[in-house]
Amino acid sequence: MANLTINGKMIDVDVEPDTPLLWAIRENIGLTGTKYGCGIAQCGACTVHIDGVAMRSCGVLVSEAAGKKITTIEGLAPAGACTRCSRPGSPMTFRNAAIARAA
C-alpha cells in the first residue's frame, strides 16, 4: 500500500513498492492522460511533475514517489478551462494550461 498525493488529492494505492508510477496512475487510479510510450523513460509520453520537476513516470517506482507532490496532465488545468476542446487531457488542454502557467 502506498500513499500518493496526485493532483492535490491524497490517494492510497494498493500496489507493490516496485510498481512503476505510470501503471499505478493509469491502472489503479484511473487517470489515463499519462500515456505509455516507450517504457524506457525516453519518449516523454508518461511525463508527470513530481515536486515540480518533470519526470518520466515509467521510470519512477511508486516507493520513490510516495510522500511527494505528483501532478498529471489532468491536474494542470481546472475542469472546463479549455474552450477549444471537450475532452479532459486532450493536447489542447495541456497547451492552454502551459500557456496559463507561463503568464
Side-chain angles (χ1 to χ4, degrees):
M1 180 73 71
N3 190 303
L4 301 175
T5 302
I6 299 181
N7 301 332
K9 298 176 187 164
M10 297 281 282
I11 302 170
D12 288 324
V13 185
D14 189 17
V15 296
E16 295 296 322
D18 62 348
T19 301
L21 181 59
L22 170 65
W23 299 119
I25 290 171
R26 288 184 59 81
E27 301 297 323
N28 298 87
I29 299 168
L31 297 174
T32 57
T34 304
K35 304 296 185 194
Y36 174 80
C38 64
I40 58 171
Q42 295 297 308
C43 72
C46 65
T47 301
V48 297
H49 289 179
I50 299 177
D51 287 342
V53 177
M55 303 282 294
R56 307 299 193 251
S57 63
C58 70
V60 176
L61 302 179
V62 167
S63 60
E64 297 168 331
K68 298 181 180 175
K69 180 182 170 190
I70 303 161
T71 305
T72 67
I73 193 168
E74 291 93 343
L76 289 178
C82 181
T83 58
R84 294 181 57 194
C85 61
S86 60
R87 295 180 314 150
S90 76
M92 288 306 296
T93 301
F94 180 78
R95 177 186 161 277
N96 291 345
I99 290 169
R101 289 186 134 197

